[in-house]
Amino acid sequence: MSHPRDVLLGAQAASVQLPVCDHYSGVDARMRKSLQLQAEMTQEFGTCVFDVTLDCEDGAPVGGEAEHAALVTELALGAAPNARVGVRVHPVDHPSFQADMATIAGQAAQRLTHIMVPKVESVADVQLAEQALIQAGAHDLPLHVLIESPAAVHRAFDIAAHPRVQSISFGLMDFVSAHGGAIPADGMGIQGQFTHPLVLRAKLDIASACHAHGKVPSHCVVTEFKNTDAIRVAAQKAARELGYTRMWSIHPDQIRPILKAMAPSEAQIDQASEIILAAVAADWAPISHAGQLHDRASYRFFWQLLERAHQTGRALPAAVQLFFAAPGQAAVLGS
C-alpha cells in the first residue's frame, strides 16, 4: 500500500513537516529545562511536538561568545536521541559568526535539526551561511532564517527559493524598529501586529514566499508571555488568517497554547480520517463522502490536516495512526 506522502505530492506542499512550535532559550539553566520539557512532552504525546532552538545571538554574553557556543554544542550532543534541537548563531556580519558555525555545526551537526541565522538581508547572506556549513563539514544541515527588515521582506521570495533554506521566521520587533518611528510602538503588541498594514503585509509576504517554494513560515514571538489568551489568539490568527504553520515560543507557558491553537479540531480530524481512509480503500480514485466529491486535490488537503494533528499531539484513529508508525510497524497498512 502506497503511503499518502508518496501519493499526494504537490508543488504547493511544504517539502518538510516541522513541529508547529519552535521554543527559544539561551540561558544555561533555561536551555537545560527546555530540553527536559521537550523529552517529557515527547513521552506524553508520543511524538516530539516542539523544537528547542538554543540561542547564541541573545543568549551569549558579550565577550563570552566562544564559551556559549561550546555550551550549546555540549547540550546538543547530550540531548536525548529523539530530541529535536537547533541553534541560533550570530548574524553573518558578526565577528563570532564563523566561530559559531565552526564550533557548533562542526561538532554537533549530526545531532542538530537546523541552524537559525538571524538578520538575513539577502540571498548573499544565505550563501555565506551555507558556505560556513560546508566548511564545517555540515553538508546537509538545513538553514532557518530570520527576516527582520523591510528590505529583507522585499527579497523574501528569492530567499525562500534557496534550496538550503527550510523555514523563514519574521522578526517583528526589529522590523518595526527599522521604520524609524513610522510604525507606532503598538505595532509590536498583540493587537497592532495583526492590524497595522505594514506589519500585516510583511507577514503575508513571508508566508506567501514560503508556500510558493515549499518552505515553512514561522510566526514571530508574542512578548506578553504571561497572557496565555494572547498567545492563543495570536497563534490562531497566524495559522487561520495568515497561513503560518509554525510559531516561536519564548516561555514554556506559551508552548501548549501554541500547540492547541494550531491543532485541528476533533471534528476536522474525524472528517479528514474518514476521507483519507476511504481514499485508501479506493486506491486513491475519486470518492463521494457526505454528498461531496473528493479526489487527490482534496485528499492532499485532508492528509496535511492529519499531519498537523500528529505534529500537535492530537489523538488519531488507530487506522490513521498507522501512517505515522515507524517503518516495520506499519506493515499492516496494506492488510
Side-chain angles (χ1 to χ4, degrees), residues 192-207:
Q193 67 167 289
F194 288 101
T195 57
H196 194 283
L198 287 175
V199 178
L200 194 58
R201 186 180 71 173
K203 290 185 179 184
L204 289 171
D205 283 351
I206 289 171

Side-chain angles (χ1 to χ4, degrees), residues 26-84:
V27 177
D28 188 351
R30 292 173 186 169
M31 291 190 289
R32 296 179 190 275
K33 288 181 179 178
S34 297
L35 291 169
Q36 178 61 35
L37 180 60
Q38 184 190 65
E40 292 170 358
M41 291 182 67
T42 296
Q43 185 173 15
E44 175 185 349
F45 288 106
T47 188
C48 188
V49 291
F50 69 95
D51 284 351
V52 171
T53 298
L54 308 176
D55 193 4
C56 290
E57 185 191 24
D58 290 338
V62 176
E65 291 87 356
E67 291 79 7
H68 196 78
L71 172 62
V72 301
T73 300
E74 175 190 343
L75 293 175
L77 289 172
N82 59 347
R84 287 187 54 87

